[in-house]
Amino acid sequence: GQYNLLVERIFEKLERASAPLPEQEIQSDLLVARQFELEAKEGLRKAQIALEKESSAAFAAVYQGRHMPLVVAITLASAFFSFVVVVGFFLSRKFGRSLGNLIFATDAVAHGNLQYHAPILAQDEFGRLTHAFNSMVDSLHHGRDQLRRSVDRTNRLQTITAALSEAAQPQEVAEVALRQSMEALDASGGGIFQPSPDGSTLEVMKAEGLPASIQAEWKDLPVNAERPLSEVFRLRQPLFLESAEEILQRYPFLKRELARAMPAVAALPLVTEGRSLGIYLLSFTENRNFSREDVDFMQAVARLCAQALRRAQLYDDAQKAVRARDDFLSIASHELRTPLTSLKLQLQGLARHIHKGTLPSIPPQRLERLALTSDVQIARLTNLINDLLDVSRINAGKLELHCERFDLAEMVREVVERYEQQLSKANCPVTIGGAPAIVGTFDRFRLEQVLINLLTNACKYAPGKPIEVVLAIVDQRARLCIQDQGPGIAAKDHERIFTRFERVNERDNVGGLGLGLYISRQIVDEHGGQISVQSEPGKGAVFIVELPLEHQDLGHDHPEASASASTAERLE
């Protein structure tokens, strides 16, 4: 009974333990049980000796008195002794084996073998104790595996962080993030998707292991489509689908072949600084039960990838800005130097004539021509400076409109008539058609600037060819179309030409700072309208300006209206 009580206490201690007991404590308790067993055997031997002495004394007493009772006593004593010896041997062997197995298992666990299980010989106290010991070893083994996976993924995240820190281009960022995460999670495929420049579709930045049919289906995926990736991008919430059944249940309109090819999918948004930069996708060829550790790892990779992508974009933007600055400085220095050089040469020629005293011999017509040429160069220089000032005002948000009510068609005719000489010199006849009158509230000076910029472009890129101006009223909006017969503009450049320092064709040797269309768009936007271009290579271009007929900002005459005449020579 005391031995059983001791074993029960050991078993209760193992069950009550909130964490695995130290190896030394388990071995100490088992050794106490072993010591108790040895002491019990020793007591049994002493009892046997004492019984033999008592039996001898009883035998002597009975033998002296009565013969028959002595025989009975000896028989009973021998039977009891035999029973005690047999029971003691059986218990000693049974408990000794169980205790030996536990001690061996403890040694195995102490040497790092967490896969060893002690055999359970019987469903008794020792069996329960052995079962509890094996459960404790299983917990230790599971905890060690979790710790190893955690350490491996922590090391993987450190590797990804180091690799992303060296990635300067978005493609390099996508490649590092995909390769490392696919290896860490045993994914069969993955991809990084980014929004298109206009934000209407998702484009494949990098894809690995995805079937060609799926890549083709996801090419230029609309952001507003009812598709998993589109939802992740719009809602900025991760999506984890663990089986083909779950995919088809949530998105029944998807093809069954797609769900079978990728029965498990994880898609996470790439968000940083409040910006949605794209989608991070991993796919698996088998059902996958995403654990908490898997989710945490993928979210960490998504955050690192988003930060690296943003950093790469900023670096790329900075590189483009530096190149644009250098190009602008080169163009500006050339454009500003050209009229100054011409003025300098003319003034030096006059200075030589004055120094020699031959000025009176110069024909008046030549002097008039020199004066007109100097005025043209000054006007050209003034226009370049005005363009730079307009860009500064736009950047500072100080481009103000001073609107008045007038006839837009009449203003177009006046501008074309005013610059008839310059248009004729460029051999670009202008025809005006459409509505004879369009009365509305506009900034006269700024719209003249827009019209002059568009006519200037037509003369630059289509010299010697006619220009057509068409006026119309469409849906209570004034529409102004300027059509030329130039080389045309590719569709991919339709938006680019309206940015700063950009030209229709960089290879064309034309003057200007590349600011005319940019300034024109800002002016039209301030009116609440829009400017666009319709063109194909080799088929000329049509620039379309649409303006609301009424504008809320009614004001007085534009303070810079007097400067409109200074742009007269822009067509030169």
Side-chain angles (χ1 to χ4, degrees), residues 452-463:
I452 293 170
N453 285 336
L454 296 178
L455 291 174
T456 300
N457 272 350
C459 290
K460 284 181 179 178
Y461 292 98

Side-chain angles (χ1 to χ4, degrees), residues 75-93:
T75 304
L76 291 176
S78 299
F80 179 73
F81 176 77
S82 299
F83 174 77
V84 170
V85 171
V86 171
V87 171
F89 177 78
F90 175 77
L91 292 177
S92 174
R93 184 172 181 180

Side-chain angles (χ1 to χ4, degrees), residues 177-179 181-193 206-212 214-215 218 229 239-244 247 257-268 279-290 298:
L178 270 186
R179 184 179 66 254
S181 56
M182 287 175 61
E183 291 178 0
L185 296 171
D186 294 328
S188 61
I192 302 292
F193 301 81
K206 181 69 176 179
E208 291 287 346
L210 296 177
I214 295 177
Q215 292 191 47
W218 285 349
L229 293 185
L239 179 65
F240 300 98
L241 302 173
E242 299 181 341
S243 64
I247 294 175
E257 293 78 9
L258 186 147
R260 289 175 177 174
M262 298 189 309
V265 174
L268 296 91
I279 302 295
Y280 161 63
L281 172 76
L282 289 179
S283 64
F284 304 85
T285 55
E286 298 180 353
N287 293 349
R288 179 71 177 254
N289 183 18
F290 295 108
M298 286 185 285

Side-chain angles (χ1 to χ4, degrees), residues 3 8 29 31 127 155 173 283 292 300 313 354 505 529 537 554 567:
Y3 183 82
E8 284 287 342
D29 291 339
L31 290 175
N155 294 335
V173 172
S283 64
R292 183 70 259 175
Q313 290 176 357
I354 294 174
N505 193 334
L554 296 175
T567 60

